[in-house]
Amino acid sequence: MSTVLITGATSGIGLQLAKDYLANGDSVVVCGRNPFALQSLVQDQINAEALQFDITNAEATKQALSTMQSQPNVWIFNAGNCEYIEKGEIDSELIKRVFEANFLGLVNSLQASQVHFKPGDQVVVIGSISSEVALPRAEAYGASKAAVSYLARTLQMTLKPKQIDVTVVYPGFVKTPLTDKNTFDMPMIVSAEEASVAIRKGIEKRQAYIYFPTRFTSILRLIGLLPYRWQNALSAKLLKG
C-alpha cells in the first residue's frame, strides 16, 4: 500500500483520486482550501489526513506541509485553475491568476514538499495536453501548463540522481466543475472516474508520461508535429465552438 499526497483534493480529478486511493486501502493526505470538503473526505477514514492551505500562498503551503504527520511516497500535484481569454483580448490580471494557481502554486508545493522527498518516491505533476499544441482561448491556461510541463520534465532529470521518479500527466478534457463552465465543444471528454483510472494505472507502472484519452491526445500530439500554420488550422477545426 502507498501513502499518497494529493493537492486540489476537494474537487474534480483530485477528489476522485482521493476517493479511489482511500477505497483501495491506501493512506492519503488530502490538501485543499475548503475545510468542509476536506473534513467530509477524512471523516471516518483512519488512513486519511487533511491539510488546509492555498497553494498560491507560499508561506501557508510551507507551514501546512511542515505539520504533516504522514510520510508520502507518491506526491500528486494536481491543484490548479482554468480561465479562458475571449476574442484574443489579453487580460493581464486573468493571466496572472491562472499562472499563480497552475504554475507558481506548483512551485510553492514543490518547494514545501521537497524536504520530505526520499529515494524511491514518485512525484506526479498534472499538466494538460494543451501544453503541446496551441488551442483557441487557451492563451493563459495553455501557457501556464506549458510552463508546468517544462518544469516537470526538467525535474525528471534533476531528481533522477536522488532516485526520485517524476511522472507528467497530460489529460484531454475531463468532466469536472471547471469544465462544466465551458461553453464550447469538448471532443472525447472523459469522466473524472475514467481520468482517475488512467492516472492511477500510469502511476503504478511508474510511467514517465501519462496521456488520456488516448485517441484525443494522440491526435493533438500528431498535430503538434506539423508546421505551426497547419497546427493552428487543424486545432481551430478540432475545437470549434
Side-chain angles (χ1 to χ4, degrees):
M1 295 298 175
S2 297
T3 299
V4 185
L5 178 140
I6 306 171
T7 65
T10 58
S11 181
I13 294 174
L15 175 59
Q16 191 62 51
L17 284 168
K19 289 180 176 179
D20 290 341
Y21 274 116
L22 286 169
N24 189 54
D26 296 295
S27 297
V28 181
V29 182
V30 291
C31 308
R33 294 179 300 175
N34 187 323
F36 303 106
L38 287 173
Q39 183 56 38
S40 176
L41 261 176
V42 302
Q43 191 172 8
D44 302 322
Q45 295 280 355
I46 61 172
N47 56 338
E49 177 182 357
L51 297 178
Q52 181 196 354
F53 60 93
D54 184 338
I55 60 168
T56 65
N57 185 321
E59 186 56 39
T61 302
K62 181 179 178 181
Q63 174 60 32
L65 287 168
S66 72
T67 67
M68 181 172 57
Q69 300 300 307
S70 306
Q71 180 54 65
N73 60 297
V74 177
W75 305 77
I76 304 178
F77 298 109
N78 161 78
N81 197 9
C82 181
E83 294 185 62
Y84 290 106
I85 297 291
E86 298 298 336
K87 300 177 182 178
E89 297 175 358
I90 295 300
D91 181 336
S92 63
E93 288 301 314
L94 183 155
I95 292 174
K96 181 180 178 182
R97 288 194 302 270
V98 172
F99 265 80
E100 283 182 342
N102 292 349
F103 182 68
L104 294 176
L106 170 63
V107 171
N108 293 338
S109 300
L110 286 166
Q111 177 179 251
S113 301
Q114 63 189 353
V115 295
H116 302 285
F117 292 168
K118 61 189 184 302
D121 281 4
Q122 186 173 8
V123 172
V124 182
V125 175
I126 307 297
S128 169
I129 193 62
S130 67
S131 67
E132 302 211 348
V133 60
L135 300 175
R137 302 181 183 175
E139 290 92 338
Y141 180 74
S144 73
K145 288 299 188 177
V148 165
S149 177
Y150 189 95
L151 174 61
R153 288 187 295 112
T154 301
L155 287 173
Q156 287 177 331
M157 295 182 284
T158 55
L159 292 182
K160 186 175 181 179
K162 300 180 180 181
Q163 300 177 48
I164 297 169
D165 291 332
V166 177
T167 293
V168 195
V169 183
Y170 296 95
F173 291 111
V174 180
K175 182 172 174 51
T176 68
L178 273 180
T179 57
D180 285 343
K181 300 174 185 177
N182 291 348
T183 58
F184 52 86
D185 291 338
M186 293 178 283
M188 303 176 220
I189 188 170
V190 298
S191 67
E193 290 82 1
E194 291 172 300
S196 174
V197 169
I199 293 169
R200 286 181 293 114
K201 282 184 176 179
I203 290 173
E204 185 177 359
K205 295 177 181 178
R206 299 186 82 90
Q207 292 177 202
Y209 308 102
I210 301 171
Y211 290 89
F212 68 90
T214 303
R215 185 182 172 202
F216 182 65
T217 54
S218 295
I219 290 171
L220 288 184
R221 292 174 74 190
L222 285 172
I223 291 174
L225 298 175
L226 299 173
Y228 287 152
R229 180 183 295 181
W230 294 7
Q231 287 187 35
N232 290 350
L234 289 170
S235 296
K237 284 186 178 181
L238 183 64
L239 297 174
K240 59 182 181 296

